[in-house]
Amino acid sequence: MADINDILETIGMIKDECLDIRTITMGISLYDCMGDSVDSVCSRVYDKIMTRAGNLVKTGEDIEKEYGIPIINKRVSVTPVSLLCGRLDPDGAVAIAKTLDRAAKDLGINFIGGYSALVQKGFSNGSRALIQSIPEALSVTDRVCSSVNVASTKAGINMDAVAQMGQIIKETAAKTVDRSAIGCAKLVVFANVPEDNPFMAGAFHGSGEPETVINVGVSGPGVVASAIRRAGTCDLTQIAETIKKTAFKITRMGQLVAGVASERLGVPFGIVDLSLAPTPAIGDSVAEILESIGLEKCGCPGTTAALAMLNDAVKKGGVMASSHVGGLSGAFIPLSEDAGMIEAARCGALSIEKLEAMTAVCSVGLDMIAIPGDTSAEVISGIIADEIAIGVVNNKTTAVRLIPVGKTGETVSFGGLLGEAPVIPVSKYSPGVMIHRGGRIPAPLQSLRN
């Protein structure tokens, strides 16, 4: 029997503290959509997505009404499209991207992920075609998200891919410059990418996943910040305990929604991703959590330590609430999507170097960061290489989502959950000689765990 106080507490979290289910994401395998011609592949892709996910939006809306739990996004992720492109050229890959976009619009979902390639150890014909097509694909679609995994702890870092992605990001920005380089907001470069992540832009349906699966992403930065403030004057051990208990409650709500959605859609339940995903809304900020712990401003000395504690406590609380926790699970620090992070960057407390240090202990990496539009491809590749190295050496997921647009000090707006970001400076000293050497940075010694 549910305790009335627990029910009232949850209602308060939803009403006053921005608690929500950030996304229900249906993963769909497209392996059986391969074909010899672009037309046949596109036809099979569209038909399968529409057949499997046709009731996704309605089911999510029904659960919202019945349980009173806000479900912000309904999304789809698919098998990495590069696996369908072995016999196609970049134009053929773009045709698939347009098909994904059409399916997303017809379903009524806001994003579809999986326009992806896994090249941590090298390029297949399909991955080459897909990567070359990314700038065009993201410029002619509205809801397609793309990701490229360029490294893993087991394989090391594919520096040829890192170099290419610097150029791809520049080309994507140029093709969508009239829309604040929005194409780059839908493109992320990974190390150790998870195959069951429900959050965009990095979601795709991994090779070890079922034919179809439901993954749920929860969120509640505002709830955690409020709980810390209510805890009052106490030591950091008690703060960690407060975060852990709050994460448990948030994850239980995600577990409930995932179970109901799975049953009604007749699709296996995959995982709950318990990441604290902020929004531009006031009171829904990871930076605010860190400041509630006792920082004058996010980015000041002590920020990395506070974030490490937060991330650890969130994971500990979440794994007690669900037997199937996965995806990224922890704390996100996307610059444009967090009101507190935006303010910290504007006042100079938060730099790209400090953000990089924070990524060593958070769930993702350098996320939704606007940098000057004249930043060279080599500097972008260097930033990618640094961030990816953190993931490879520490055996964790890291990612880069950079948006080269405008000039330092300007603000660019992306709309909706993507928010707006101040353009922050980066070093103009070039790593070009190193980047153009190519090859692979070998896997670290800690990869030898067999």
Side-chain angles (χ1 to χ4, degrees):
M1 177 82 62
D3 185 275
I4 186 65
N5 292 322
D6 290 339
I7 295 172
L8 291 173
E9 182 182 34
T10 301
I11 292 172
M13 290 176 179
I14 293 170
K15 183 173 180 288
D16 301 321
E17 298 170 358
C18 302
L19 177 62
D20 57 50
I21 299 297
R22 187 55 48 86
T23 181
I24 296 178
T25 301
M26 177 180 283
I28 302 173
S29 172
L30 299 182
Y31 283 112
D32 55 356
C33 297
M34 296 180 183
D36 292 329
S37 70
V38 176
D39 290 343
S40 65
V41 172
C42 289
S43 176
R44 291 170 185 171
V45 166
Y46 180 83
D47 290 345
K48 184 158 190 186
I49 292 172
M50 297 304 296
T51 299
R52 296 296 177 127
N55 292 322
L56 176 63
V57 171
K58 182 180 184 303
T59 299
E61 291 172 345
D62 289 346
I63 295 171
E64 280 188 275
K65 292 174 185 175
E66 292 178 34
Y67 290 86
I69 299 172
I71 300 173
I72 306 304
N73 299 300
K74 297 84 179 174
R75 297 167 171 170
V76 168
S77 63
V78 299
T79 303
V81 169
S82 63
L83 299 176
L84 308 181
C85 296
R87 298 184 179 182
L88 304 181
D89 59 14
D91 289 340
V94 171
I96 298 178
K98 291 178 178 178
T99 300
L100 295 177
D101 200 51
R102 179 164 65 96
K105 291 173 179 176
D106 291 348
L107 289 172
I109 59 177
N110 70 328
F111 286 124
I112 184 165
Y115 198 72
S116 307
L118 310 180
V119 295
Q120 57 267 26
K121 211 167 184 178
F123 299 92
S124 65
N125 292 336
S127 62
R128 286 188 187 279
L130 183 129
I131 291 172
Q132 290 170 17
S133 77
I134 286 173
E136 177 68 13
L138 295 184
S139 70
V140 299
T141 61
D142 298 314
R143 307 189 187 190
V144 173
C145 290
S146 180
S147 59
V148 179
N149 192 71
V150 299
S152 71
T153 299
K154 282 288 188 183
I157 305 174
N158 181 348
M159 288 300 294
D160 292 321
V162 170
Q164 186 174 12
M165 289 312 300
Q167 188 61 46
I168 291 295
I169 289 170
K170 287 286 289 184
E171 292 175 15
T172 303
K175 280 186 172 289
T176 56
V177 68
D178 59 330
R179 291 168 281 163
S180 299
I182 188 68
C184 296
K186 300 181 290 176
L187 172 60
V188 57
V189 183
F190 273 107
N192 293 319
V193 66
E195 299 190 357
D196 55 4
N197 166 28
F199 288 101
M200 300 296 167
F204 69 90
H205 188 68
S207 59
E209 296 290 305
E211 185 71 14
T212 314
V213 70
I214 286 291
N215 297 319
V216 168
V218 300
S219 186
V223 177
V224 175
S226 295
I228 293 171
R229 287 193 292 268
R230 286 194 298 270
T233 303
C234 59
D235 66 23
L236 291 174
T237 302
Q238 292 170 299
I239 291 292
E241 190 69 17
T242 297
I243 296 169
K244 187 170 68 174
K245 289 178 179 178
T246 306
F248 176 87
K249 296 172 184 177
I250 294 170
T251 307
R252 289 301 289 174
M253 189 177 78
Q255 175 81 13
L256 168 66
V257 170
V260 174
S262 170
E263 181 180 352
R264 294 188 181 182
L265 290 165
V267 172
F269 160 51
I271 57 94
V272 175
D273 186 318
L274 50 94
S275 296
L276 296 178
T279 71
I282 301 300
D284 198 23
S285 163
V286 170
E288 185 178 337
I289 297 175
L290 302 178
E291 291 167 7
S292 297
I293 291 172
L295 305 177
E296 181 179 2
K297 184 66 69 173
C298 179
C300 73
T303 298
T304 304
L307 182 59
M309 181 182 71
L310 170 64
N311 213 49
D312 179 68
V314 165
K315 292 177 188 289
K316 287 175 177 173
V319 296
M320 295 301 294
S322 175
S323 297
H324 298 289
V325 171
L328 295 161
S329 290
F332 288 179
I333 52 170
L335 184 54
S336 78
E337 299 172 18
D338 186 309
M341 294 282 180
I342 294 169
E343 174 57 29
R346 281 181 176 151
C347 75
L350 197 58
S351 66
I352 194 167
E353 291 81 11
K354 185 61 178 181
L355 281 163
E356 183 182 301
M358 293 165 67
T359 64
V361 299
C362 78
S363 290
V364 194
L366 296 171
D367 196 17
M368 287 299 293
I369 297 175
I371 61 175
D374 63 358
T375 304
S376 71
E378 289 83 2
V379 168
I380 292 173
S381 293
I383 295 171
I384 293 171
D386 285 345
E387 184 59 36
I388 294 309
I390 290 174
V392 168
V393 171
N394 291 289
N395 197 25
K396 69 184 293 292
T397 299
T398 52
V400 178
R401 191 159 41 148
L402 297 176
I403 305 152
V405 62
K407 298 179 180 179
T408 299
E410 293 180 346
T411 296
V412 290
S413 179
F414 309 108
L417 284 174
L418 296 176
E420 64 178 30
V423 180
I424 62 175
V426 299
S427 173
K428 293 187 179 296
Y429 291 101
S430 177
V433 173
M434 170 186 158
I435 296 301
H436 291 300
R437 287 182 184 273
R440 293 206 337 256
I441 293 179
L445 185 62
Q446 54 264 45
S447 69
L448 300 177
R449 294 185 173 185
N450 293 338

